[in-house]
Every structure is written in structure tokens, then in C-alpha cells.
Amino acid sequence: AQRVTQPEKLLSVFKGAPVELKCNYSYSGSPELFWYVQYSRQRLQLLLRHISRESIKGFTADLNKGETSFHLKKPFAQEEDSAMYYCALGPGNAGGTSYGKLTFGQGTILTVHP
Amino acid sequence: DGGITQSPKYLFRKEGQNVTLSCEQNLNHDAMYWYRQDPGQGLRLIYYSQIVNDFQKGDIAEGYSVSREKKESFPLTVTSAQKNPTAFYLCASSIDAAGTPNTEAFFGQGTRLTVV
């Protein structure tokens, strides 16, 4: 069964400090992993996907298949990064093509203090 | 203005009543989804539909029903059989085609349902 675990419900850092939001997954096939973000009063939106290997708003995430992790990192946090972050596992090659059929972690609320 | 529209934003229901949440999209997406968001539990999939007139149960379908008569619309009915319906409900849509690069799910603003 697919499972995504985000061990930290709350994470607080000061502006300019590094931040790492942890995500571990359980999946038997080749995983598709995403980070979604929900800013205050805004809709849930895609932040980045592992397959793109891109940096968005200074955030990066590396898929580590050995540790089954997909941690989200940013070297210098900003106040505008304060939001709810969800790690999500896509259907992959076992789930067909429904790209919105996601398994979400519990979410981590990141607060960046000035 | 393209996107997904959910209505209403807030909904109150008396115990024992059915209630229908609306979700409309003009992104021309084939697939649509309903998620339930509870504090500390993340989002859980209720139902999804890959094509008109077809839909599949998600992880927590009990007490819910859906229909997909039009590509643009995917209403969710919360029935009286749902034991704990108070929650935040999110609708999403996506492309549903093999080999399409860089796809993602697009979410609505959500409907907060409260049973009183």
C-alpha cells in the first residue's frame, strides 16, 4: 500500500535559517513524488515535482530511493515561506494516468519568524 | 479566467440531511477528484472520475456519492450516512493522458462543511 509520512506537524525557524521538511514514503514501484503548498487564504498548489529536478522559490527536493525519502530543503528561509506543506505520492506506473490521484502526507505547517 | 470553482465556500447542514457540494472546471481536464482535508490527517481521496459518466471510489467513499454527467462538473453529495461530515472539502482536476509531461493536479478553493 502507498503511504506518505511527514513526521513534523509544526516547524518553526527564523528568517535566514535553513529549513528542511521531512517526507518518507512507502511504495513498491517507481515513485512519483510532489510537494504541494497551501499559503494562507490561497488554494493548494504544486510547488515542485521530483522528476523535474528544479528549484522553485529556492526550494529543492531530492528523491532518495535508498532511504525512501523526499525531503524539501531551502538554505535561507523567508517569511513568505510560511505555509502548510504537503508531500504527495502520485499513481506512478501502477496507477495509470490519473495524475490527481495522490496519496498525501499529514502536512507540515512551516512558520518563519522575522 | 480558467480554473476550478467550488461553491459554496461555507455550508451548514443539519444532522440527517444530505447536502451537495459543487465543483466546476473550465480547464478542459478529463479527470476530477474530491478530497477531504482534516487537521493532522492530510488530504484523503473520496472519489475520482477519469471520464464522463464514470467514477471510482477513493479511500474514504462511504457516506458520499458523486456524479459526472458533464466534463466540467463533478458534484459531491454528503449523505446522512456519513458519520463525521464536518470537514474541509477540496475538488481537483488534472489531465488524464499517458505520456503527458509535467502534469499536476489543480485544486479549488474548497468548501467548509459544518454539521450543526
Side-chain angles (χ1 to χ4, degrees):
Chain A
Q2 294 187 179
R3 180 174 292 179
V4 176
T5 304
Q6 293 178 249
E8 302 137 331
K9 188 178 288 187
L10 301 169
L11 186 61
S12 290
V13 299
F14 286 99
K15 177 182 173 182
V19 63
E20 180 178 75
L21 290 82
K22 292 186 174 11
C23 172
N24 289 91
Y25 67 91
S26 173
Y27 185 66
S28 57
S30 182
E32 281 181 305
L33 283 149
F34 306 87
W35 277 99
Y36 278 82
V37 60
Q38 191 170 29
Y39 300 103
S40 179
R41 303 184 188 281
Q42 294 187 30
R43 63 186 68 202
L44 190 64
Q45 58 188 285
L46 178 69
L47 178 62
L48 55 79
R49 71 194 92 213
H50 92 270
I51 198 168
S52 299
R53 298 192 178 187
E54 56 199 343
S55 173
I56 302 293
K57 299 185 179 181
F59 284 99
T60 59
D62 292 320
L63 177 61
N64 186 322
K65 290 187 179 181
E67 296 182 358
T68 60
S69 69
F70 187 57
H71 303 327
L72 183 68
K73 300 177 184 179
K74 185 169 183 176
F76 307 104
Q78 303 300 315
E79 289 179 70
E80 54 266 30
D81 295 330
S82 296
M84 169 73 91
Y85 291 80
Y86 288 103
C87 183
L89 184 60
N93 54 9
T97 57
S98 293
Y99 298 102
K101 188 171 178 286
L102 300 163
T103 299
F104 284 88
Q106 301 91 324
T108 298
I109 299 173
L110 173 65
T111 303
V112 181
H113 299 284
Chain B
D1 184 25
I4 301 178
T5 302
Q6 290 185 242
S7 61
K9 195 171 182 180
Y10 299 96
L11 190 56
F12 295 88
R13 185 196 95 175
K14 291 184 179 179
E15 277 194 46
Q17 288 181 339
N18 292 355
V19 64
T20 298
L21 284 61
S22 169
C23 178
E24 305 276 332
Q25 55 99 359
N26 60 5
L27 299 168
N28 199 33
H29 286 165
D30 289 306
M32 296 186 73
Y33 314 81
W34 275 105
Y35 286 90
R36 173 180 169 138
Q37 187 177 26
D38 294 286
Q41 296 195 53
L43 279 73
R44 292 177 291 167
L45 184 64
I46 304 172
Y47 267 99
Y48 67 103
S49 167
Q50 293 174 279
I51 197 169
V52 173
N53 292 323
D54 187 49
F55 46 83
Q56 309 294 328
K57 291 183 179 179
D59 300 318
I60 55 165
E62 185 175 349
Y64 299 97
S65 66
V66 292
S67 63
R68 187 85 186 278
E69 296 177 2
K70 298 186 300 182
K71 187 175 184 178
E72 303 80 19
S73 178
F74 191 41
L76 173 75
T77 297
V78 184
T79 74
S80 57
Q82 169 49 235
K83 295 179 181 177
N84 186 21
T86 294
F88 190 60
Y89 291 88
L90 283 171
C91 179
S93 71
S94 73
I95 292 171
D96 191 64
T100 306
N102 294 331
T103 59
E104 64 184 90
F106 291 86
F107 286 84
Q109 292 274 33
T111 293
R112 186 166 299 281
L113 173 64
T114 303
V115 174
V116 296

